Amino acid sequence: MKQRKDISRIAVFTSGGDAPGMNAAVRAVTRAALAHQLEVYGIKRGYQGMIENDFVKLEAGDVSGIMHLGGTFLQTARSKEFRTHEGRKKAFENLKNHQIDGVVVIGGDGSFAGALAFTQEFDIPFVGIPGTIDNDMYGTDYTIGYDTALNTVVEAVDKIKDTANSHGRIFFIEVMGREAGALALKAGLACGAEVTFIPEIQNEEEELEKFLTKDYKNKQRSGIVMVAEGDRAGGALKLAEKVQKNHPEIDVRVTILGHIQRGGSPSANDRVAATQMGVAAIDALLNNQINVMIGMKNNKIVHVPFSNEVKTNREFNADLLKIQQLINSAY
Ligand code: F6P
């Protein structure tokens, strides 16, 4: 494909919930762009900073020493103003004033919905890099931050299991995932949970009841129930309350892991994926593959057009639940 000659200055920013590995992605985008003789600007505080003209010039040294840090040094935001045409127009004018020819956005589905709306109205191309601990993006097997968050959950639950075993208690662990169960699903498998509750399916209460009545006898066993925060049962607290009411003899505890899952030094996998995707984003811009999200499918880089269908078309690995059920049915 013919390389675009009209791109000489790009901007990069992080948007939505932060995710470990975002810094590594900004570093890769910046360094790849500079390697192609492009100039680079960072935009602080996501779309809100774009609207408020918060741009900083980035050189190679500005992104050194950040790869191993969690969070995002550019900071992030969820901008209500960018959801309006007026907000996007202000953002466009600021990009134009900085002579930005292409933009790389690192974030989740809300960030790409913003990019889609913008690119339908204005003629500055965008490329997206999926960065969210939820791993819930359509068209990619992997999102930056997921692997780190998963390991954070596993480390925490391993500690909880020590005390759960000592007391023969059932712990309800709530992990992030307002609309998606990918984190809970893998965390459930990795921690040997008895049951996992996720927003995508509904019949886990039966499964839990089976465990409580058949397998959990006289506190000889403890148990972990993994709950995605967005599960239709209403989260770990509500579920635990219900169980406690129906089974007053069972010793129940709840741990909501919360934002600890969003922080921490990114895992090697997240750093590598962020670097691959950052380089691929600049390649895409230069090769006129624009208004797409960079994804990873079967370990290969793919380009997924921004679309409003991303939420409805999300894939979900139901096999993992079947595996969990099989493993637990041995009791
Ligand atoms: O989108 C990622 C996510 O971690 C969700 O799983 C979670 O519900 C949400 O962000 C919470 O974000 P915040 O506290 O920033 O509103």
Side-chain angles (χ1 to χ4, degrees):
M1 216 172 291
K2 204 159 167 276
Q3 191 144 323
R4 282 178 77 136
K5 295 268 184 287
D6 56 338
I7 294 195
S8 57
R9 187 179 285 182
I10 64 127
V12 57
F13 68 102
T14 51
S15 168
D18 61 347
M22 280 185 162
N23 281 326
V26 174
R27 170 183 177 270
V29 168
T30 304
R31 295 268 175 93
L34 292 171
H36 286 284
Q37 278 80 48
L38 309 179
E39 284 185 281
V40 185
Y41 277 81
I43 304 171
K44 307 286 297 265
R45 296 178 295 116
Y47 286 116
Q48 199 54 35
M50 196 184 278
I51 291 170
E52 292 171 10
N53 208 18
D54 204 354
F55 288 56
V56 284
K57 188 137 198 308
L58 294 179
E59 303 293 351
D62 296 322
V63 292
S64 83
I66 63 167
M67 172 130 100
H68 63 296
L69 302 177
T72 159
F73 87 107
L74 288 177
Q75 295 191 286
T76 185
R78 300 189 203 273
S79 171
K80 284 207 179 100
E81 213 180 332
F82 198 80
R83 291 192 201 139
T84 66
H85 174 71
E86 290 69 36
R88 293 193 290 273
K89 191 154 178 286
K90 278 191 213 161
F92 171 70
E93 277 154 16
N94 289 329
L95 289 171
K96 267 277 166 229
N97 289 339
H98 280 89
Q99 296 171 320
I100 302 295
D101 309 309
V103 180
V104 178
V105 48
I106 305 163
D109 54 11
S111 309
F112 298 158
L116 176 64
F118 181 95
T119 50
Q120 283 171 342
E121 293 166 343
F122 304 104
D123 66 352
I124 298 180
F126 271 54
V127 171
I129 296 178
T132 161
I133 66 163
D134 293 343
N135 203 18
D136 60 347
M137 306 288 302
Y138 168 71
T140 184
D141 295 337
Y142 197 79
T143 63
I144 296 164
Y146 175 62
D147 186 61
T148 306
L150 184 56
N151 283 299
T152 301
V153 173
V154 171
E155 201 183 321
V157 175
D158 284 352
K159 289 180 180 154
I160 289 168
K161 282 178 90 163
D162 289 344
T163 172
N165 288 337
S166 307
H167 286 265
R169 284 174 170 156
I170 305 287
F171 267 82
F172 287 77
I173 314 272
E174 185 173 297
V175 301
M176 277 188 168
R178 202 162 24 206
E179 292 169 44
L183 188 57
L185 199 59
K186 271 210 179 165
L189 264 197
C191 298
E194 331 304 325
V195 189
T196 299
F197 284 72
I198 54 173
E200 289 88 343
I201 60 155
Q202 247 176 331
N203 61 351
E204 308 102 317
E205 286 202 49
E206 264 170 52
E207 194 82 18
L208 177 62
E209 202 47 38
K210 240 194 299 172
F211 165 70
L212 295 174
T213 49
K214 182 171 156 275
D215 301 335
Y216 180 81
K217 288 186 201 116
N218 307 323
K219 296 188 179 181
Q220 280 157 10
R221 278 188 74 196
S222 60
I224 295 291
V225 181
M226 199 64 75
V227 187
E229 65 174 321
D231 184 81
R232 284 172 252 189
L237 264 176
K238 275 210 174 139
L239 256 173
E241 268 168 23
K242 203 165 158 191
V243 165
Q244 191 69 95
K245 211 166 142 219
N246 296 340
H247 300 274
E249 75 289 358
I250 296 180
D251 211 356
V252 166
R253 292 290 185 275
V254 176
T255 301
I256 296 176
L257 289 177
H259 287 76
I260 195 171
Q261 297 161 91
R262 288 247 291 263
S265 180
S267 67
N269 280 335
D270 276 330
R271 297 180 201 192
V272 171
T275 305
Q276 286 176 288
M277 291 190 190
V279 169
I282 294 301
D283 278 348
L285 268 180
L286 289 176
N287 290 305
N288 207 22
Q289 284 182 297
I290 55 172
N291 307 331
V292 294
M293 176 191 81
I294 300 297
M296 196 84 88
K297 276 271 169 201
N298 304 319
N299 284 325
K300 289 221 159 60
I301 292 286
V302 293
H303 302 92
V304 187
F306 292 145
S307 130
N308 277 324
E309 270 77 62
V310 286
K311 278 198 172 186
T312 44
N313 283 338
R314 268 176 198 158
E315 296 134 285
F316 150 68
N317 190 351
D319 287 353
L320 295 184
L321 270 188
K322 285 196 201 130
I323 291 173
Q324 185 182 46
Q325 281 162 9
L326 179 86
I327 298 264
N328 287 329
S329 69
Y331 264 98

